[in-house]
PDB file of all heavy atoms in Angstrom:
ATOM      1  N   ARG A 205       2.370   8.377   3.757  1.00 92.00           N
ATOM      2  CA  ARG A 205       1.551   9.121   2.803  1.00 92.00           C
ATOM      3  C   ARG A 205       1.198   8.222   1.623  1.00 92.00           C
ATOM      4  O   ARG A 205       1.966   7.349   1.218  1.00 92.00           O
ATOM      5  CB  ARG A 205       2.310  10.334   2.287  1.00 92.00           C
ATOM      6  CG  ARG A 205       2.772  11.307   3.338  1.00 92.00           C
ATOM      7  CD  ARG A 205       1.661  12.093   3.970  1.00 92.00           C
ATOM      8  NE  ARG A 205       0.972  12.975   3.035  1.00 92.00           N
ATOM      9  CZ  ARG A 205       0.062  13.888   3.411  1.00 92.00           C
ATOM     10  NH1 ARG A 205      -0.264  14.014   4.698  1.00 92.00           N
ATOM     11  NH2 ARG A 205      -0.539  14.648   2.526  1.00 92.00           N
ATOM     12  N   ILE A 206       0.013   8.447   1.060  1.00 96.00           N
ATOM     13  CA  ILE A 206      -0.482   7.665  -0.074  1.00 96.00           C
ATOM     14  C   ILE A 206      -0.492   8.570  -1.300  1.00 96.00           C
ATOM     15  O   ILE A 206      -1.071   9.664  -1.275  1.00 96.00           O
ATOM     16  CB  ILE A 206      -1.894   7.131   0.213  1.00 96.00           C
ATOM     17  CG1 ILE A 206      -1.875   6.224   1.450  1.00 96.00           C
ATOM     18  CG2 ILE A 206      -2.442   6.374  -0.996  1.00 96.00           C
ATOM     19  CD1 ILE A 206      -3.253   5.841   1.948  1.00 96.00           C
ATOM     20  N   ARG A 207       0.154   8.106  -2.385  1.00 97.00           N
ATOM     21  CA  ARG A 207       0.279   8.918  -3.599  1.00 97.00           C
ATOM     22  C   ARG A 207      -0.305   8.165  -4.789  1.00 97.00           C
ATOM     23  O   ARG A 207       0.302   7.224  -5.295  1.00 97.00           O
ATOM     24  CB  ARG A 207       1.763   9.244  -3.862  1.00 97.00           C
ATOM     25  CG  ARG A 207       2.438   9.967  -2.726  1.00 97.00           C
ATOM     26  CD  ARG A 207       3.912  10.219  -2.994  1.00 97.00           C
ATOM     27  NE  ARG A 207       4.556  10.669  -1.773  1.00 97.00           N
ATOM     28  CZ  ARG A 207       4.582  11.935  -1.359  1.00 97.00           C
ATOM     29  NH1 ARG A 207       4.017  12.875  -2.105  1.00 97.00           N
ATOM     30  NH2 ARG A 207       5.173  12.265  -0.229  1.00 97.00           N
ATOM     31  N   PRO A 208      -1.482   8.571  -5.267  1.00 98.00           N
ATOM     32  CA  PRO A 208      -2.011   7.966  -6.504  1.00 98.00           C
ATOM     33  C   PRO A 208      -1.137   8.326  -7.695  1.00 98.00           C
ATOM     34  O   PRO A 208      -0.565   9.425  -7.759  1.00 98.00           O
ATOM     35  CB  PRO A 208      -3.409   8.598  -6.632  1.00 98.00           C
ATOM     36  CG  PRO A 208      -3.726   9.169  -5.277  1.00 98.00           C
ATOM     37  CD  PRO A 208      -2.412   9.553  -4.685  1.00 98.00           C
ATOM     38  N   LEU A 209      -1.029   7.407  -8.651  1.00 98.00           N
ATOM     39  CA  LEU A 209      -0.273   7.702  -9.871  1.00 98.00           C
ATOM     40  C   LEU A 209      -1.037   8.667 -10.766  1.00 98.00           C
ATOM     41  O   LEU A 209      -0.436   9.469 -11.480  1.00 98.00           O
ATOM     42  CB  LEU A 209       0.025   6.409 -10.627  1.00 98.00           C
ATOM     43  CG  LEU A 209       0.768   6.555 -11.953  1.00 98.00           C
ATOM     44  CD1 LEU A 209       2.110   7.266 -11.765  1.00 98.00           C
ATOM     45  CD2 LEU A 209       0.967   5.200 -12.614  1.00 98.00           C
ATOM     46  N   HIS A 210      -2.379   8.593 -10.734  1.00 97.00           N
ATOM     47  CA  HIS A 210      -3.213   9.449 -11.581  1.00 97.00           C
ATOM     48  C   HIS A 210      -4.120  10.309 -10.715  1.00 97.00           C
ATOM     49  O   HIS A 210      -4.644   9.857  -9.688  1.00 97.00           O
ATOM     50  CB  HIS A 210      -4.057   8.609 -12.538  1.00 97.00           C
ATOM     51  CG  HIS A 210      -3.236   7.717 -13.421  1.00 97.00           C
ATOM     52  ND1 HIS A 210      -2.425   8.200 -14.426  1.00 97.00           N
ATOM     53  CD2 HIS A 210      -3.094   6.369 -13.439  1.00 97.00           C
ATOM     54  CE1 HIS A 210      -1.818   7.194 -15.029  1.00 97.00           C
ATOM     55  NE2 HIS A 210      -2.199   6.075 -14.449  1.00 97.00           N
ATOM     56  N   ARG A 211      -4.353  11.527 -11.162  1.00 96.00           N
ATOM     57  CA  ARG A 211      -5.179  12.464 -10.400  1.00 96.00           C
ATOM     58  C   ARG A 211      -6.666  12.329 -10.718  1.00 96.00           C
ATOM     59  O   ARG A 211      -7.510  12.815  -9.967  1.00 96.00           O
ATOM     60  CB  ARG A 211      -4.725  13.909 -10.695  1.00 96.00           C
ATOM     61  CG  ARG A 211      -3.358  14.233 -10.115  1.00 96.00           C
ATOM     62  CD  ARG A 211      -2.827  15.573 -10.613  1.00 96.00           C
ATOM     63  NE  ARG A 211      -3.807  16.649 -10.514  1.00 96.00           N
ATOM     64  CZ  ARG A 211      -4.079  17.325  -9.394  1.00 96.00           C
ATOM     65  NH1 ARG A 211      -3.443  17.009  -8.268  1.00 96.00           N
ATOM     66  NH2 ARG A 211      -4.950  18.303  -9.406  1.00 96.00           N
TER      67      ARG A 211
END
Side-chain angles (χ1 to χ4, degrees):
R205 302 289 296 189
I206 300 170
R207 302 178 191 275
L209 178 58
H210 302 291
R211 291 170 48 81

